[in-house]
Amino acid sequence: MSDPSTDPAGRLAAAGTSSEAPDVGEGGRLAQRATLAAPADADRPARRGSEPWWASGAARGPRQIPREFGGGGRVEALWLRASSLRPGCPLVSVSSADGGVGRSTLTAALGGVLALASPAPVVAVDATGRAWGGLGHRVVRGSAASAWDAGVAETRLADPLVAEELMQRGPTGLRVLVGESKMTAQRRPPTWAEMFGVIGHLRSVYAMALLDLPAADNTPTWRALGWATVPVLVSRATVDALQHTMRLLAHLTAAGLDQVAQSAVVVVMTTTHSTAREVRAVERLAHKAATHLVRVPFDPALARPDPLDPRSLSKATRTALTEVAAAVVDRCPADLDPHEGASAV
C-alpha cells in the first residue's frame, strides 16, 4: 500500500479527519479537494481494449426478471438498461447527512437488486472504516477475508482471481467486500488512503461498484461523493433527518459540488408502518430540493441484521427498491438496443 505521506489521497484523508460538518465558508477548498481525479483512472487503461474477465460467461442481452418483481415497464426498463451499461464501472457512492440512517442496509438491498438485473458482476464495498456493523451482517461469510486483506493485496487486487477470493457473496450474487472487524497489531480497518487504492483496483475488475461510506461530515467522504457516477444520500423518515439532508444538498451546492447535489438520489428509509403528517410535509419539501427522492417503506426484513435478499421483501419495498435501482442505472452511460427486452420468470 502506498505511503499516505506521499500519496495525494493519503494527504487528503489526513486533512479530512475532522468529525465536524463542512461549512460553506470552507466549501471552496473542500470542493477543490473533492473534485480531484479518482485514483481509479490510473487503473483502467491497462484493461481497455480487452474483453472483461466475466464477459464470456455473461448472458447476452437482459437477464430474466425474477417472478417476485413481476413485470411492467419500469422493471423491464431497469433490466434492459442494466444489461446495456457501457464499460467503465459506474461508481455509486452511498452516504448521508447523519449516522444510523440505514446506509449499509440500503447498500445491501440496492446492490442485491442491481446484481439480479445486471449480467455482469456488481460489487459492494464497506468503506466506512468501522470495526463493527456494516455490510458484514448482510452476507453469509464464506471466509475471513475483509477490506484489510484487499489493502494488503495492493496491485494484485486488479487480478480478478485475487479479487474474487476476497469477496463474500450475497443471496443474489452481489459481491461484497466486508469491513475489517479486528483492531490488532496484525489487522485493522484500512485508512482512507488505503481504501482509495482498493476502490481503484476493484473498478478495473467489476462492472459496477457501490460504496458504503460514512456520513458526509469529512473531506474524504465528500471526495468520494465527488467521484460518483451516482451519489445516493440516505435519510431516516424523521423531520430532523430530512432537514439535515436538505442542508447537506445546500452545502454541496454552495461548495461548488452542485453536480453532486443535482444528480443525487435521495432515499428515505422508514422505520414504522405509518409516517407522521409533519414528516410527510418535510418530505414534500425535500422532494423539491432533490432531483429524485424515493421512500422505502418499513419492512421487518430490512430491520434485521441478517443476509438480505430483495426477493424476500414485501411488494411495496421491492417496488421502492426497483425505483431506486432504476434511478441509479438511468444515470449511468448505456448503449440501448430498442429491439431487446427483458422477460419475467
Side-chain angles (χ1 to χ4, degrees), residues 51-64 79 82-85 87 114-122 164 175 205-208 340:
E51 189 176 64
W53 65 274
W54 36 261
S56 59
R60 300 299 180 184
R63 298 183 69 182
Q64 291 184 319
W79 255 251
S83 70
S84 307
L85 295 181
L114 291 171
L116 286 171
S118 173
V122 177
E164 285 284 273
R175 274 69 166 176
V205 175
Y206 293 101
M208 178 180 286
E340 290 184 333

Side-chain angles (χ1 to χ4, degrees), residues 2 45 69 72 77 131 136 148 151-152 186 205 210 239 249 258 272 283 303 319 329 331 339 341 344:
S2 59
F69 284 81
W148 167 254
V152 171
Q186 291 75 36
V205 175
L210 292 82
V239 171
L249 290 169
D258 49 302
T272 59
E283 188 177 296
T319 300
V329 173
R331 287 160 168 75
H339 301 292

